[in-house]
Amino acid sequence: MERPTEPAQKESAATARPPLVRELLLVAGLFLVYKLGRQLATGHTAEAFGNAHRVWDLERLVHLPGEGFVQSAMLHGDTLVHVANTYYATVHFPATAAFLVWMYLRRPGHYVWARRVLAAVTAAALVVHLTFPLAPPRMLAATGLVDTGQVFGPTVYGASPETDSLSNQFAAMPSLHFGWALMVAIGLIVATRSRWRWLWLLHPLVTLLVIVGTANHYWLDAIVAAALLGIALAVIRPPGRTAPTTRSGRGREDAGNPVPRTPDGQDGPGVPEAPELVGAGR
């Protein structure tokens, strides 16, 4: 018997699992396109810092909490800030990859949906990175924030944006760290029925505190990522669930084709009753 924490009905056997090789090539291709796009967005130093000042001033104008509040709490101990830097550097890609692998193996219908949403959000983010280069708060002197990756380690970025050949440090908005983490949580909540599934929201929550506390992103970077994800989820809908199977092995009756019933409520013709033996059991 399936545990009550699992979905009442597993996805239909008719849901075909996409070919593995094709999916690996597709995901790898999307990743390479994204990395190439980020490289194309390098430079634009003056524009990136000008946009950073505008974002910082806008956050103060709308009275968003200061990023420094989170970083101050994090800097109370070297261990905590080191853990945060490690989380930022190592959790982003592996967690998303593990999510896609699990969905592919256990929820193929939901996997296709999740992969499409992640691809749409990533493509939209790349467009924003190209059109709105943004220096992160760790580079902006006006924020008074510390570059925790460079000071405490580990860091995934080079000491200078101009010499960093692996990443575009002016691609702060939107934050794909937060956008992907939020999609991982939403995807697992939608695809499972465990009473504990809402705890997956801790992943984007911790990610949000980490990206802000390490001064790699502004609050608005996460807000824009959440908005893009919301649009993608509104356009790309998750697959529906099939009707649960009863213990007798029969599914719920179809509303348009009900099983015939006799006046006493028993199954009608087509489900004959067993004859009663007079005196049986007496």
Side-chain angles (χ1 to χ4, degrees), residues 129-250:
H129 293 164
L130 291 171
T131 57
F132 191 77
L134 178 66
R138 58 186 166 80
M139 294 183 183
L140 193 62
T143 66
L145 298 174
V146 176
D147 185 345
T148 61
Q150 294 293 336
V151 175
F152 298 93
T155 181
V156 295
Y157 300 118
S160 171
E162 291 76 13
T163 60
D164 193 341
S165 60
L166 297 178
S167 60
N168 173 23
Q169 297 194 40
F170 294 147
M173 180 182 289
S175 169
L176 283 179
H177 271 75
F178 180 73
W180 286 10
L182 186 58
M183 180 55 202
V184 167
I186 292 174
L188 290 171
I189 290 170
V190 170
T192 62
R193 283 295 179 267
S194 168
R195 69 181 65 182
W196 303 104
R197 69 188 186 278
W198 297 100
L199 291 177
W200 286 112
L201 290 173
L202 290 174
H203 176 43
L205 175 60
V206 172
T207 300
L208 177 61
L209 295 177
V210 165
I211 64 175
V212 171
T214 56
N216 282 296
H217 288 282
Y218 306 90
W219 292 114
L220 280 177
D221 298 341
I223 292 173
V224 172
L228 292 177
L229 178 59
I231 295 172
L233 290 172
V235 175
I236 307 171
R237 307 304 296 271
R241 292 187 178 275
T242 56
T245 302
T246 62
R247 285 183 294 180
S248 63
R250 291 172 50 196

Side-chain angles (χ1 to χ4, degrees), residues 49-73:
F49 277 94
N51 289 334
H53 281 286
R54 295 184 187 95
V55 168
W56 182 255
D57 292 341
L58 178 60
E59 286 191 344
R60 308 291 76 78
L61 180 64
V62 298
H63 302 291
L64 286 177
E67 287 83 353
F69 174 78
V70 180
Q71 186 172 92
S72 296

